[in-house]
Every structure is written in structure tokens, then in C-alpha cells.
Amino acid sequence: MSVLSLTAARVNNRLNLREEGDSLRERQQAKVRVGSHTSVLLKEVLAQLQIKDGEQVVDATAGQGGHSVAILESTHNTKVLALDADPVAVEIARTCLAQFGERAEVVESNFGELEKVLHHKGLKTIDKALFDLGWNSGQLGDGRGFSFLVDEPLNMSYGTKSASGFTAAQALNEWDEETLANVFYGYGEERFSRRIAKAIVERREVQPIQTTLELVEIIRDSTPSLYHRGRLHFATRTFQALRMAVNDELGMIQKGVTAAWEHVAVGGRVAVISFHSVEDRAVKRLFADFVKQGGRLVVKKPLVAERAEITENPRSRSAKLRVIEKTK
Ligand SMILES: C[S@@+](CC[C@H](N)C(=O)[O-])C[C@H]1O[C@@H](n2cnc3c(N)ncnc32)[C@H](O)[C@@H]1O
């Protein structure tokens, strides 16, 4: 069985995970400047993680280093081990964190490999961990195909190599119609999933689908015109679904957050910021399991951004912060 069909099967198994998803366009309304990603829920993350001097923190999604900088500035000798799958983000984060010397280290790695990274660094226990899921603003329109507003190759991987082993173009050109429809519905809750999948299969019989704007055109042509005038861009859900499949996002959340939980010391905390309900539901389920193993939900309902933050940074509108503490 090929990587592609294996992943298609795994994707199909997750079809009960639906989302209210409305993230891509909102995220794109955020300022898009390299080096200027605006960290979301910063105040809330600091308040909930309650970082103390001397603690070892893992920032599983370094991005442009915003949360890590705030964590390091909040204490005198806390250490941060930051990860990002994207080598460009790693370079930016390293530059931002250089001022903290040996207190900060940035590693290019998928957080699905957190267990291995911790082992390699000799870190048996950590005190706090943060996952700020999804993409950073600098990654939109930088050639990887996340944006439906810029014509780019349909890659959609965070890292140099995607966690799933395939690109969005490969999925679009090789998956059967039913799998495509299931992915669009399961990961994007795209109500026109079947029409879009059918149109993709028809189009690729003429020529392979290679770029973001080709896909946008197919989605536009296969959906009703009323759909094009909605609050969400009509391509949002399809793009989100593809990105989640390419990066095996739910699989990586499961592996990465579980590794963080297993290594966090008693009294330690794990915080996760999600941006749509497929992600949030996965985190909620994981945390429910951790509660059975001796975890305490620090906040019963996920924290969301205040109005002022949403005005300043529209991307924060869909952010949800969940936090769990290890009690035994
Ligand atoms: C929302 S941004 C983080 C922003 C960061 N907290 C800040 O304040 O600048 C998410 C980052 O996580 C990275 N990322 C997404 N999935 C990942 C994964 N499975 N492993 C490692 N990095 C990942 C993306 O490349 C992106 O840079």
C-alpha cells in the first residue's frame, strides 16, 4: 500500500471529526509580513502557564518566536526548547531568541517527533509546553500554497518534507473521488465536498492540477454563486482540509501533545491553541484522556481572545486555548 493510499485510509477513518472551521480567511486578514506574526492570546498563555524561574519550557510551534520571547522575558532563568517544522520559521525564531543566549534553543523538527527530540536533548521531564497550532503569517504567500489568493504550486507542507509524505497536488491528482470528497468534508466540513471532488476528477483528466489558483477556479466553477458571496472565502474549507491531510495534522497533534503530557512533571502544564473545531475537538479528546490519567483541566471552557485583541489581530477571533495540569 502506498503512502498516499495509507494516508487516504487514515483520513477516511477520521471522518467523524467535523469542524465549524472558519479559519483561513480570518487568518489571512491578519497582517502578513515576514517577521511580524502577531502571537495570539499572549497574555492568557502567560497567565495560564504560570512559568516560574528555572523551569524548562517547550514551545512546540516556535513560528516567529513571539510566545517564546514573552516566556523568556517573563522570568530570569527559564529555558525554552522551541521546535518548528519549517526551516524558515526556525531561522526567524533563532534570530529573535538569540538575545537569550543559552536559555533558548530552536530545533527544526515536527512536533510529532517531540519524544525523540526530548530524548536527544536528555530532557526526561519538562515543566510547561505550548502548542500554537497552524501556520504563521510569514508562511502565507511564500510559495508553499497555503494561500488561495496567490498563485503558487500546491505543496502545502510546513516542513521541507510533509508529514504525510505527499503534497496537495499529489493528493488532488491521485486520490479517488470519494476520498477527496471525504477529506473535504471530514477536515473542512465543506458542504459541497462531493461536487468539488467530482469537478477535480473531471479537470485532472484534461490536465493535472498544479497551482492554487487552478484549484480555486475548480471550486468556484463547481459551487453555487451564492456560496461565493458568503463571509468565508469559498475555497477556505477545501484548502484547510488539504493542508490538514498533507501535514497529517491530527496525527501530529496526537503524537506531539501526548509526548509533552508524558514528559511534563507533576504540577506542570500543557497549553494548546487551536484555530478551528477539528483541531479543538482533537485536543479536547486528548485532554479528556489525560484527566483519566491524573490531569486537571485548568480552564473548563477554552479561553478565547478579548474584543480588543480581535480588533488588533483578526486571526485571534477563532483561537481557543485549552490548558491541562498534571496532578499526579
Ligand atoms: C501559529 S504559528 C506559531 C506562532 C508562534 N507561537 C509565535 O508567537 O510566533 C504555528 C507554527 O507552527 C509550525 N507548525 C505547524 N505544525 C507543526 C508541526 N506539526 N510540527 C512543528 N511545527 C509545526 C508552523 O510552521 C508555524 O510556524
Side-chain angles (χ1 to χ4, degrees):
M1 206 182 207
S2 71
V3 174
L4 209 59
S5 49
L6 255 178
T7 308
R10 195 164 51 200
V11 160
N12 278 324
N13 284 339
R14 292 196 179 124
L15 287 179
N16 56 337
L17 294 164
R18 297 162 41 153
E19 59 135 340
E20 292 143 20
D22 63 333
S23 57
L24 261 181
R25 189 172 192 184
E26 289 165 15
R27 294 186 197 191
Q28 285 189 320
Q29 287 164 358
K31 292 171 208 149
V32 180
R33 304 189 307 265
V34 171
S36 70
H37 175 87
T38 308
S39 305
V40 303
L41 297 171
L42 200 53
K43 186 171 56 124
E44 290 80 359
V45 164
L46 289 180
Q48 295 303 324
L49 283 182
Q50 296 188 348
I51 291 154
K52 298 174 195 76
D53 268 343
E55 289 193 333
Q56 174 67 59
V57 180
V58 166
D59 179 353
T61 48
Q64 299 191 0
H67 283 105
S68 282
V69 167
I71 287 167
L72 288 156
E73 279 177 345
S74 72
T75 60
H76 294 300
N77 55 2
T78 300
K79 286 188 171 176
V80 169
L81 173 64
L83 277 64
D84 205 294
D86 175 8
V88 179
V90 167
E91 278 315 306
I92 296 171
R94 277 189 185 140
T95 306
C96 294
L97 300 182
Q99 56 182 308
F100 300 100
E102 291 186 350
R103 291 176 60 203
E105 186 179 1
V106 189
V107 176
E108 182 185 330
S109 171
N110 195 300
F111 60 63
E113 301 296 321
L114 181 60
E115 178 69 48
K116 278 192 203 148
V117 174
L118 292 176
H119 180 74
H120 183 68
K121 297 288 167 198
L123 286 172
K124 286 208 173 80
T125 57
I126 56 173
D127 298 293
K128 307 284 159 64
L130 171 67
F131 294 74
D132 177 17
L133 302 173
W135 41 264
N136 77 66
S137 304
Q139 293 170 326
L140 289 182
D142 77 342
R144 68 188 79 211
F146 285 165
S147 171
F148 43 70
L149 302 175
V150 190
D151 203 19
E152 294 178 340
L154 281 159
N155 180 332
M156 292 205 186
S157 170
Y158 292 117
T160 314
K161 196 173 160 290
S162 76
S164 66
F166 58 84
T167 65
Q170 284 175 304
L172 288 168
N173 290 301
E174 294 175 35
W175 278 355
D176 63 41
E177 187 178 323
E178 194 183 346
T179 299
L180 285 170
N182 288 346
V183 166
F184 299 154
Y185 187 70
Y187 287 166
E189 212 179 37
E190 171 53 71
R191 69 190 141 117
F192 298 111
S193 55
R194 303 227 163 265
R195 290 191 198 192
I196 295 169
K198 185 167 183 286
I200 285 168
V201 170
E202 282 168 7
R203 182 70 62 92
R204 76 189 188 199
E205 273 163 17
V206 182
Q207 63 177 62
I209 302 155
Q210 303 288 10
T211 74
T212 46
L213 293 192
E214 284 170 26
L215 178 59
V216 170
E217 186 188 299
I218 296 167
I219 301 167
R220 190 182 51 233
D221 291 351
S222 57
T223 50
S225 54
L226 198 64
Y227 193 50
H228 307 158
R229 296 197 285 271
R231 188 176 62 83
L232 272 187
H233 189 285
F234 55 85
T236 302
R237 294 173 185 278
T238 306
F239 270 63
Q240 179 180 296
L242 279 170
R243 197 202 68 221
M244 290 193 70
V246 166
N247 293 288
D248 188 15
E249 295 197 19
L250 294 183
M252 295 304 107
I253 290 171
Q254 165 93 28
K255 275 183 81 181
V257 176
T258 301
W261 174 250
E262 284 171 353
H263 284 268
V264 93
V266 173
R269 293 184 172 188
V270 178
V272 186
I273 302 172
S274 60
F275 288 89
H276 53 76
S277 59
V278 175
E279 281 176 345
D280 184 54
R281 196 168 297 129
V283 177
K284 191 177 167 187
R285 283 183 188 165
L286 271 176
F287 279 18
D289 281 348
F290 300 162
V291 166
K292 290 181 199 146
Q293 301 162 29
R296 177 181 76 86
L297 297 180
V298 178
V299 282
K300 295 276 178 261
K301 287 203 163 172
L303 297 179
V304 295
E306 290 173 355
R307 189 178 293 271
E309 179 175 358
I310 295 171
T311 307
E312 172 67 20
N313 179 14
R315 179 173 175 271
S316 66
R317 187 149 78 90
S318 43
K320 285 188 177 159
L321 171 65
R322 291 186 185 269
V323 189
I324 189 159
E325 181 180 276
K326 195 177 260 188
T327 53
K328 61 180 182 191

